[in-house]
Amino acid sequence: MRLIIAEKPSLARAIAEALPGGLQREEGALRAGDTVVTWCLGHLLEQAPPDAYDPAYKQWRLDHLPILPAHWQLAPRPKARGQLGVIRRLLKQAQEVVHAGDPDREGQLLVQEVIEYLGWKGPVSRLLVSDLNRPAVQRALVRLEDNARYQPLYRAAESRSRADWLYGINLTRAWTLTGRQAGHDGVLSVGRVQTPVLGLVVRRDAEIRDFTPYPFHVLWADLRVAQGELRAWWQPGEAHRLDAQGRLLERAPAQALADRLPGAEGRLVALDSRRKRQAAPLPYSLSALQVDAARRFGLSAQAVLDICQRLYERHKLITYPRSDCRYLPEEHLAQAPATLSSACGKDETLHGWLAGADFRLRSKAWDDSKVGAHHALAPTGKPADLARLERAEADVFRLIARNVLAQFYPPLVAQEVKAEFLVLDERFRASGQALLEPGWKPLFTTRDEAPPLPAMTQGETCRVAGSAVEDRETRPPEPFTDASLIKAMMNIGRYVDDPEVKRTLREHDGLGTEATRAGIIETLIERGYLVRQHKALRATRLGSGLIASLPEAASRPERTALWEQRLTAIAEHGADPAPFLAALIDDLRGLLTRADAARLRQAMAAAQGEAATTRTTSAKRRKSGATRRTSATSTAPKRRKPRRSA
């Protein structure tokens, strides 16, 4: 008997329906001929709690820390024992096992850890399914691979799980117990990823709160040239008082020049005209989709993830959604006309875009060298009746389909012109853009570009037709939103101050993964560290106080970004996990020595921020006693006064 173990029931059902022969339902499984398909329910196992290693760890004490398992143990999740029993029974009957987890790091972990936990020693094949429609699953079934090829991915996921446990259990216990000594009642959850993300928001809020606006002044002149009129902006020289961005801080020089400008003549001293070709935006990764959907439709990152899961599992309209890739396999190019025609035919908007597509074109999106275990989000080809979907589902599907359709549109071609004029011995600059070929742009709602400048030749004269001084004021940075926080987590190098660390980070190195970023934001809200105010994400007093009480290294992104880089090296290059965990334990020991009741008391007393909402406060109370498999895993103590010696 061949046993296929899927990550979840929806995937198991899609696999079973793609097998030849009739389908028979059994307890916890589906049988088709000599193949049985069973399933996990997400994670059936979790890292064992501290008291599994030593019963004394059931009580939270500072003198127990750090808790460092010598031999790691897994434990069945509370509601997983029944399905684990089904898989154990089926493994005893199997001659061959097929791993059918989702095609990502976590999917590799949650099926493989069950296979190993239950003691299977035979061969294991790997089935990668990214499209739940029957033809796609049937193609995947004839392309099974050796699961050993994905051992590095498993080791990376296993290392991530252990790192999260070490970091979350030890630091959460340390700061919670120290908080009790400082008079704070409640769990203070610290996580390897969630805490640096909270730190980003706390620091942004502090920048906004501490921002002091100051005035600056700009001078424009409307210049009449041979073929029309344009607006140019004065470029004050270093002889004037300027800020770091070159903005004029005193009004008097601008006003004095403005008084002399009416009717003044000048000439065009520099003209730069360039033709610019811009390819269409690439198909979406999950995070890129979350950013665009948040900006366009006001959807939270978690809402976009949930919608994508429904479009993938329930409606079977899109390929596997938890992808960090923005490229597509080259073999999909030949199928694209039929796939997109089928997927887009029933919606008026998509049908219109489909009609303009030229399937003879090939964009850089089709690139096998940039496709790993999964590819960019794309329509499966199943006809999409968007009228039968929820509005948000239809909106998200159109975005996904649009970005794939755009690959069959020509580039946008524009003429960009920059001009510099000399008037009364002062420099004025103007810029504009003329759209020559719209290409893919009609599919997108984009910001307004600078209007085109009239045709000009270098050296021609101009005359001032009007001018004015505008008084402006600097503005604070914008608060984080779901879109900007996800983008920050994707490109964390922009928020790293340490120049040495910054040099080592690649452009796409980030905090968290496609599958976890939305959940990190929701976890911070549920635990009372963040609140949503319309679209903005703001830190609460509790969140700000926690960050102030922690060593700076624990709340900044540098350390976690480097850890994520090492996990990537384990997954992609087979690096040894042992040095990663050893370095993390060394860091952990140092952080634990920094838990200080006086500092924590002062931090909480001085904290500024928003009040936690009733919903987040109650959610935090409900979940404070649970052991969660997240970056801040913790087992909360019952309320008791810690011993003085702890």
Side-chain angles (χ1 to χ4, degrees), residues 422-450:
L422 200 61
V423 181
L424 300 179
D425 293 326
E426 296 287 345
R427 295 190 178 274
F428 288 78
R429 289 179 183 161
S431 61
Q433 179 172 285
L435 189 62
L436 304 180
E437 299 174 24
W440 50 265
K441 190 173 182 180
L443 279 64
F444 291 75
T445 302
T446 56
R447 67 182 186 276
D448 292 335
E449 305 290 349

Side-chain angles (χ1 to χ4, degrees), residues 350-374:
L350 292 177
H351 185 72
W353 293 341
L354 178 68
D358 182 352
F359 290 107
R360 297 170 298 177
L361 300 176
R362 173 174 174 155
S363 80
K364 64 179 182 180
W366 313 95
D367 188 344
D368 286 347
S369 69
K370 295 183 178 178
V371 174
H374 35 254

Side-chain angles (χ1 to χ4, degrees), residues 434-478:
L435 189 62
L436 304 180
E437 299 174 24
W440 50 265
K441 190 173 182 180
L443 279 64
F444 291 75
T445 302
T446 56
R447 67 182 186 276
D448 292 335
E449 305 290 349
L453 299 181
M456 294 177 288
T457 55
Q458 189 162 328
E460 73 172 271
T461 59
C462 64
R463 180 183 293 273
V464 177
S467 65
V469 177
E470 292 184 6
D471 300 322
R472 299 183 181 178
E473 190 174 72
T474 56
R475 292 164 51 178
E478 295 290 330

Side-chain angles (χ1 to χ4, degrees), residues 19 45 86 89 212 276 349 428 454 607 609-610:
L19 293 168
L45 302 168
V86 170
R89 171 176 55 81
T212 302
K276 179 182 175 184
T349 299
F428 288 78
E610 308 299 325

Side-chain angles (χ1 to χ4, degrees), residues 29 120 151 192 200 218 221 269 272 318 332 340 347 349-350 548 551 579:
W120 173 259
Q151 191 69 4
R192 184 181 64 88
L200 289 176
V218 297
V269 295
D272 182 18
I318 66 169
H332 288 198
L340 292 170
D347 180 71
T349 299
L350 292 177

Side-chain angles (χ1 to χ4, degrees), residues 358-619:
D358 182 352
F359 290 107
R360 297 170 298 177
L361 300 176
R362 173 174 174 155
S363 80
K364 64 179 182 180
W366 313 95
D367 188 344
D368 286 347
S369 69
K370 295 183 178 178
V371 174
H374 35 254
H375 55 71
L377 281 68
T380 61
K382 181 180 178 181
D385 187 354
L386 302 193
R388 302 182 68 176
L389 300 182
E390 296 175 13
R391 179 174 178 177
E393 291 175 340
D395 288 340
V396 170
F397 179 78
R398 285 192 189 95
L399 290 182
I400 294 168
R402 177 199 67 183
N403 274 41
V404 178
L405 280 167
Q407 307 313 308
F408 298 101
Y409 275 70
L412 178 155
V413 182
Q415 194 77 20
E416 290 189 347
V417 180
K418 295 179 181 179
E420 185 171 295
F421 297 85
L422 200 61
V423 181
L424 300 179
D425 293 326
E426 296 287 345
R427 295 190 178 274
F428 288 78
R429 289 179 183 161
S431 61
Q433 179 172 285
L435 189 62
L436 304 180
E437 299 174 24
W440 50 265
K441 190 173 182 180
L443 279 64
F444 291 75
T445 302
T446 56
R447 67 182 186 276
D448 292 335
E449 305 290 349
L453 299 181
M456 294 177 288
T457 55
Q458 189 162 328
E460 73 172 271
T461 59
C462 64
R463 180 183 293 273
V464 177
S467 65
V469 177
E470 292 184 6
D471 300 322
R472 299 183 181 178
E473 190 174 72
T474 56
R475 292 164 51 178
E478 295 290 330
F480 275 115
T481 62
D482 277 74
S484 59
L485 188 54
I486 288 283
K487 196 165 186 179
M489 293 162 74
M490 290 168 64
N491 303 288
I492 199 60
R494 299 176 187 177
Y495 297 86
V496 166
D497 293 332
D498 186 319
E500 280 193 34
V501 175
K502 204 177 187 77
R503 277 197 299 273
T504 71
L505 294 177
R506 297 169 297 177
E507 184 180 346
H508 59 276
D509 280 334
L511 298 181
T513 66
E514 305 296 314
T516 62
R517 287 175 184 141
I520 289 166
I521 295 173
E522 297 305 316
T523 294
L524 289 169
I525 293 171
E526 288 173 1
R527 290 180 175 162
Y529 298 148
L530 295 182
V531 292
R532 274 200 178 88
Q533 293 182 344
H534 304 294
K535 290 185 179 181
L537 292 165
R538 308 302 294 262
T540 63
R541 286 191 63 193
L542 176 61
S544 298
L546 174 60
I547 293 299
S549 74
L550 287 162
E552 188 175 23
S555 69
R556 294 198 61 85
E558 283 87 341
R559 184 180 310 215
T560 301
L562 287 175
W563 285 342
E564 290 291 340
Q565 195 177 69
R566 291 172 190 171
L567 287 172
T568 300
I570 296 169
E572 296 181 359
H573 308 297
D576 182 3
F580 163 73
L581 287 173
L584 185 140
I585 289 169
D586 285 345
D587 284 342
L588 184 60
R589 291 183 190 277
L591 292 172
L592 288 171
T593 65
R594 306 283 297 278
D596 180 81
R599 175 176 172 168
L600 199 150
R601 185 184 301 112
Q602 181 181 4
M604 290 297 179
Q608 299 184 60
E610 308 299 325
T613 64
T614 304
R615 182 180 74 83
T616 59
T617 305
S618 61

